[in-house]
Amino acid sequence: MLDAEWTRTSSKLGVLVRFADDFVVLCRSRAAAEEALRRVTAILGQLGLQLHPDKTRIVRLTRGEQGFDFLGFHHHKVESWRWRGRYYLQRWPSDRAMRQVRAKVREATSRRDVGRAVEWVVADLNHVLRGWGAYFRYGNSARKFAQIDNYVHERLAIFASIKHGRHGRNWQRHYTWAWASRLGTYRLSRTTRNGTAHALR
């Protein structure tokens, strides 16, 4: 009903983008956004629903603003490296999405499982990384993917270091990326489909 009622009464204010119970309204001005918020609140009220106060806000997508999260991505305007003064919308994994995948990597490389073969641990990691990466690779995720790659390497190397009785920071010398690659460790940074921060001519 939200979609139908918005289209019928309020579509001139902005574009409603919805997936399940998560949605954003894209408007051209703050005045339009404030009116959109009022109307959405009223429409939901007729259904006996209300907006979540901690997840509802108006964001101005211009220089210096913080952007917004939607469907796991953080959306943010970034200045073009080619044409200074022009800003284009980009997206990358949100902080929450990054925390979630790090938690899964920690779980897969827990020291309580050092009795497992490293190859089995890599197989579990690859399953997590492939699924996560397939969702987030379309956008501007290269930097975030590199951060996760480095975290996976560190966690996997520390796991192997404990397993083999090494101590301290020995993993930096003994368990390089070449070692991880030989095990078949999935590299997110090799799978990105990058967007650009400038318009095509």
Side-chain angles (χ1 to χ4, degrees):
M1 176 173 175
L2 172 61
D3 307 70
E5 188 65 15
W6 180 265
T7 300
R8 187 179 70 84
T9 65
S10 308
S11 59
K12 291 183 179 180
L13 286 173
V15 178
L16 173 69
V17 182
R18 184 177 70 84
F19 182 81
D21 61 348
D22 201 2
F23 66 91
V24 296
V25 180
L26 307 175
C27 304
R28 291 185 176 275
S29 68
R30 184 173 186 88
E34 290 173 346
E35 177 61 18
L37 177 58
R38 187 189 69 77
R39 294 196 188 184
V40 166
T41 301
I43 293 170
L44 292 178
Q46 296 172 14
L47 302 173
L49 302 172
Q50 60 182 2
L51 294 169
H52 193 296
D54 297 331
K55 296 181 180 180
T56 304
R57 60 195 176 97
I58 295 176
V59 175
R60 187 179 177 212
L61 290 176
T62 55
R63 178 171 42 190
E65 295 293 331
Q66 57 186 348
F68 66 95
D69 294 346
F70 183 56
L71 301 183
F73 282 93
H74 179 72
H75 300 260
H76 203 118
K77 274 198 172 181
V78 176
E79 186 176 17
S80 169
W81 53 264
R82 183 176 293 180
W83 297 295
R84 295 301 180 186
R86 296 186 185 181
Y87 288 78
Y88 299 91
L89 190 64
Q90 294 192 349
R91 66 184 186 276
W92 52 80
S94 66
D95 289 345
R96 181 182 178 186
M98 293 289 283
R99 288 194 301 270
Q100 288 174 337
V101 74
R102 283 193 178 102
K104 291 180 179 179
V105 171
R106 279 198 308 274
E107 179 65 23
T109 56
S110 172
R111 66 174 59 210
R112 69 173 179 269
D113 293 327
V114 292
R116 301 183 69 211
V118 178
E119 291 80 3
W120 295 356
V121 173
V122 169
D124 289 345
L125 283 172
N126 287 349
H127 178 73
V128 169
L129 297 172
R130 282 195 175 95
W132 191 83
Y135 182 79
F136 287 107
R137 67 178 176 170
Y138 294 99
N140 312 92
S141 302
R143 184 175 299 177
K144 298 295 185 180
F145 275 21
Q147 291 174 9
I148 297 302
D149 279 346
N150 290 334
Y151 185 68
V152 167
H153 174 219
E154 178 175 335
R155 290 291 306 181
L156 189 58
I158 291 174
F159 178 90
S161 183
I162 294 171
K163 181 178 180 65
H164 299 145
R166 301 184 187 277
H167 302 285
R169 304 293 286 183
N170 285 324
W171 64 266
Q172 293 177 314
R173 178 161 53 92
H174 294 287
Y175 305 106
T176 63
W177 255 121
W179 164 81
S181 296
R182 286 195 297 271
L183 288 170
T185 308
Y186 189 73
R187 294 284 294 272
L188 286 166
S189 56
R190 294 177 177 175
T191 66
T192 53
R193 301 290 185 271
N194 292 331
T196 58
H198 59 81
L200 297 176
R201 288 178 179 266

